[in-house]
Amino acid sequence: MKKGKVIDIRKDCIVVLTQEKEYVKLKKKQGEEEGSEIYFFEEDLIKENKTIIYKTFALVAATLMLFFNIFPNNNVENNMVSFAEDTFAVVSVDINPSIELEIDENLKVIDVKSYNKDGNRIVDKNKIIGKYFTIAIKDVVENADTKGYFEGTDKDVLISVAPIKEEFSSEVDLVEKQLKYMAIEEKDKKYIYMESQNGEIEKSRKEGISLGKYVVYEDCKNEKNIEIEEIKKMKVTELDNKGMLTNKGEYLNSKNSLNESSEKENSKVENDHEVFILKTGIEYVDIRFLNELGIKVSIDLPNEIITTEKHGKFFNLTKEKNLIIKENRYFINLKDVLDYYNIKYNYKGSVIQVDYGKEKIQLKHLEETDFLNKNISKQIKKESNKEKNTKIITKNNGTEKKETIDEKETLIEETTDTHTNPYLNPIIINHGNEYIDINYLEKFKIIPTFNDENNSLEILIGENKIEIEFSKEQLPIKQESKVFVPMKKTFEEIGIKFEVKKGYVYTEKEDIKESFKYSNLD
């Protein structure tokens, strides 16, 4: 995957300036705007002689060079750090991994910075950018937890915030308040907030350390006689245990941090349709929730028109950018509809609170994986904890056949959902080759990380790291937010024995045995 900035939109394509300072033409998609930063894959490129593109933009490049020679970049001249355009504030998140989120005035993530390799492993820019910052933080922390970066029951997370301009300082209070709401939702984590001072974000960037850890360093360097390089390597739990967070640290999970009982009074999250999803920075709400608010919704898919009505007042939206269909559920643009009908709403941590009469209804955020997990929960998940050779029944061409599995083996069977979406199964077969969803590799006590730039898979087994590269003839398959990698090569590199038979792949690695259902795309 590559990143670039859209500099020209044409009738049949867009022109992008990449991070490598190359001009490329891409297939035109919906929603691109001049000046916006986008991510793209090799298959999005329109292949042609690059000389043509360079000549087309030679004058533009020469003009830009002349401009920068006449008006030199003050940041470079003064050795200042730079931020993404439209950055309002920086929010640092430390566990060790350490990352920073750059957010805009709507408190949505527009860029991410990692301070170590572990930071890269817990962040997927493609999934984080565009999300409300509290949701992004929860995603990052949950990912870190899943990948084993917390030790035991100590789950300390250090948070710090810095406005990038002094005039934004007064508005940071809203960021801090939202962090407190979020922390109260996360009962099993301990969120510690360190207040930063003016200029510390620039100093921390120059030192190559996260904002939060830099604040700790400045607070403790004399009293604790500690070097900045030591702080960089320490886990937040270690900083807390050594008393380095007590002077300035505020424990956000504390009930004193917010009056939790009064805030939750008259609020509720009851129904499975009281949810929203995020895509490209836009919130979409389940249409069944709008019905709950008395808003009727009709969708004319052939003409791509959505009509809403409440008390005889009609509001029409086009399908483009306003409708998302997920697992036979319909989600439409929350902001446009609620604004039109003057229904108040705002974020409270990672939920959206909607004021409806005397009620305050909270909408929960749904991730892409929540749809997958919901389908898996509908599946029959059998764990044989009884005797060995437990019998199960499978169907092959309409006939019944008995198979056996080991006592520690887990079987995940197909549901009707996989008939309409074969990618819900852990393994797919395409052109005779098996591919496995990398998320299921974690069942073998390993940490997989996919590298979009060179289509390789990095595997962390204990302290050992393996990088698996795939041939051009058998590249990984990307489907929405999921990545399927060639199973045979991956299993051989990791040391997983496997056998494919009767709709399942049976696997074994040391004392771990798993059986996975597959879908055949051929």
Side-chain angles (χ1 to χ4, degrees):
M1 183 183 288
K2 293 187 176 182
K3 182 180 179 182
K5 179 170 283 190
V6 179
I7 62 170
D8 191 24
I9 297 180
R10 299 181 176 181
K11 187 176 181 180
D12 57 346
C13 70
I14 61 171
V15 180
V16 172
L17 178 62
T18 70
Q19 289 180 313
E20 293 76 27
K21 308 304 177 190
E22 285 187 325
Y23 293 101
V24 295
K25 285 185 179 180
L26 303 182
K27 298 169 187 174
K28 196 172 182 181
K29 297 180 181 178
Q30 294 178 348
E32 287 119 346
E33 297 178 355
E34 283 190 25
S36 63
E37 290 188 338
I38 63 169
Y39 292 87
F40 60 93
F41 296 100
E42 191 71 25
E43 54 262 35
D44 296 322
L45 291 171
I46 296 175
K47 304 291 184 182
E48 60 178 41
N49 190 337
K50 288 186 179 179
T51 306
I52 297 172
I53 304 177
Y54 288 136
K55 285 181 177 179
T56 305
F57 291 94
L59 184 58
V60 175
T63 305
L64 287 172
M65 289 178 68
L66 178 62
F67 175 84
F68 284 115
N69 282 327
I70 297 173
F71 303 101
N73 187 308
N74 289 330
N75 283 351
V76 175
E77 201 172 60
N78 299 321
N79 195 29
M80 296 288 284
V81 297
S82 60
F83 302 93
E85 191 177 355
D86 299 326
T87 299
F88 156 75
V90 174
V91 181
S92 68
V93 183
D94 286 289
I95 300 163
N96 218 21
S98 293
I99 67 151
E100 285 177 352
L101 307 175
E102 295 183 14
I103 60 176
D104 63 15
E105 60 183 7
N106 296 314
L107 307 191
K108 291 184 177 177
V109 179
I110 55 176
D111 205 1
V112 184
K113 179 176 175 62
S114 299
Y115 281 91
N116 43 36
K117 288 184 179 179
D118 290 333
N120 290 327
R121 291 191 182 105
I122 64 168
V123 172
D124 184 338
K125 268 192 176 185
N126 238 14
K127 295 179 181 179
I128 293 293
I129 290 177
K131 285 186 175 180
Y132 195 75
F133 82 105
T134 50
I135 294 174
I137 291 172
K138 285 180 69 174
D139 288 354
V140 168
V141 172
E142 184 60 34
N143 207 5
D145 198 1
T146 301
K147 294 183 184 297
Y149 285 105
F150 291 110
E151 296 177 354
T153 57
D154 292 326
K155 297 185 178 182
D156 295 350
V157 183
L158 177 65
I159 305 281
S160 193
V161 180
I164 65 158
K165 293 181 181 178
E166 194 171 344
E167 57 264 34
F168 294 156
S169 298
S170 60
E171 299 176 47
V172 169
D173 290 345
L174 175 60
V175 178
E176 295 174 10
K177 190 172 184 179
Q178 292 294 354
L179 286 169
K180 291 174 182 178
Y181 286 123
M182 177 205 70
I184 287 173
E185 297 170 19
E186 299 280 272
K187 297 292 185 184
D188 63 328
K189 311 290 190 307
K190 183 162 70 174
Y191 285 89
I192 306 156
Y193 180 74
M194 297 287 285
E195 186 176 352
S196 69
Q197 303 299 317
N198 288 339
E200 285 189 326
I201 182 61
E202 287 82 6
K203 293 175 184 176
S204 66
R205 286 277 174 106
K206 288 177 185 177
E207 293 287 353
I209 188 172
S210 69
L211 172 66
K213 283 193 170 182
Y214 184 81
V215 174
V216 174
Y217 168 70
E218 283 293 320
D219 190 43
C220 299
K221 63 182 179 183
N222 295 326
E223 182 184 338
K224 301 288 184 181
N225 191 26
I226 193 165
E227 297 296 326
I228 198 166
E229 292 301 321
E230 295 177 71
I231 298 280
K232 285 182 184 180
K233 297 174 184 177
M234 293 172 71
K235 285 183 172 286
V236 173
T237 299
E238 190 178 354
L239 295 173
D240 194 22
N241 291 340
K242 290 188 176 183
M244 299 172 72
L245 307 179
T246 54
N247 287 343
K248 295 183 67 173
E250 177 186 355
Y251 293 86
L252 297 180
N253 300 73
S254 166
K255 286 188 178 182
N256 295 328
S257 185
L258 276 176
N259 189 336
E260 183 180 5
S261 60
S262 66
E263 288 296 334
K264 290 196 172 182
E265 189 177 0
N266 297 325
S267 68
K268 64 188 185 71
V269 180
E270 292 180 355
N271 302 312
D272 66 351
H273 59 261
E274 291 174 354
V275 294
F276 72 98
I277 58 177
L278 266 165
K279 190 164 186 178
T280 59
I282 300 173
E283 292 84 1
Y284 295 82
V285 66
D286 191 318
I287 63 170
R288 293 176 298 166
F289 171 68
L290 295 178
N291 293 334
E292 187 179 326
L293 300 182
I295 301 173
K296 296 177 183 178
V297 181
S298 61
I299 301 173
D300 181 354
L301 287 178
N303 294 312
E304 300 188 344
I305 295 293
I306 305 160
T307 302
T308 66
E309 182 269 330
K310 181 179 173 70
H311 301 320
K313 192 176 180 181
F314 290 86
F315 178 55
N316 292 331
L317 304 95
T318 59
K319 178 184 173 185
E320 184 181 356
K321 290 188 178 180
N322 289 303
L323 176 68
I324 292 177
I325 304 173
K326 282 280 187 186
E327 306 300 335
N328 296 320
R329 296 171 67 176
Y330 293 83
F331 295 81
I332 65 175
N333 189 312
L334 177 148
K335 182 180 187 301
D336 286 357
V337 175
L338 295 194
D339 283 353
Y340 184 80
Y341 292 107
N342 295 316
I343 297 173
K344 294 181 180 179
Y345 62 94
N346 54 56
Y347 270 96
K348 293 277 187 181
S350 65
V351 301
I352 292 178
Q353 183 168 290
V354 179
D355 294 343
Y356 184 57
K358 294 181 179 180
E359 285 189 319
K360 296 181 186 298
I361 304 172
Q362 292 186 347
L363 304 181
K364 179 186 174 184
H365 173 245
L366 272 186
E367 287 281 4
E368 184 76 28
T369 51
D370 289 327
F371 288 98
L372 174 65
N373 291 336
K374 206 154 196 176
N375 285 306
I376 288 178
S377 69
K378 294 177 185 175
Q379 295 172 351
I380 303 169
K381 186 176 180 181
K382 296 184 178 180
E383 294 187 7
S384 175
N385 294 318
K386 301 176 183 178
E387 73 272 13
K388 210 168 183 176
N389 296 325
T390 301
K391 292 181 179 180
I392 61 171
I393 303 277
T394 60
K395 287 188 177 181
N396 183 25
N397 298 325
T399 62
E400 292 188 349
K401 186 175 180 180
K402 293 185 177 180
E403 300 286 353
T404 59
I405 55 175
D406 203 312
E407 60 180 340
K408 292 182 180 178
E409 187 176 343
T410 300
L411 177 68
I412 300 181
E413 295 186 6
E414 181 183 26
T415 67
T416 54
D417 293 319
T418 59
H419 292 300
T420 55
N421 186 359
Y423 295 97
L424 291 177
N425 274 328
I427 294 171
I428 57 174
I429 296 181
N430 189 38
H431 300 307
N433 298 310
E434 297 90 0
Y435 295 78
I436 184 165
D437 181 343
I438 64 171
N439 291 314
Y440 287 90
L441 295 175
E442 293 181 4
K443 288 182 173 287
F444 299 99
K445 298 180 180 178
I446 63 177
I447 300 174
T449 304
F450 186 70
N451 187 330
D452 280 304
E453 292 184 2
N454 58 12
N455 283 314
S456 66
L457 183 67
E458 186 180 282
I459 300 289
L460 195 63
I461 307 175
E463 295 182 356
N464 299 320
K465 185 169 70 175
I466 301 172
E467 186 171 3
I468 305 173
E469 296 181 349
F470 304 102
S471 66
K472 292 182 179 179
E473 292 74 29
Q474 203 174 345
L475 288 173
I477 296 173
K478 297 162 188 169
Q479 177 67 18
E480 294 184 346
S481 63
K482 300 168 74 174
V483 177
F484 292 81
V485 296
M487 185 190 79
K488 184 174 185 296
K489 181 174 179 62
T490 302
F491 280 3
E492 287 175 349
E493 293 279 355
I494 301 171
I496 298 175
K497 298 176 183 177
F498 68 95
E499 183 179 2
V500 182
K501 60 178 183 179
K502 308 303 182 220
Y504 294 92
V505 175
Y506 296 87
T507 65
E508 180 179 351
K509 184 180 187 296
E510 297 171 353
D511 62 337
I512 302 172
K513 295 185 178 182
E514 298 283 346
S515 295
F516 301 111
K517 181 71 181 175
Y518 66 73
S519 303
N520 198 331
L521 305 184
D522 294 339

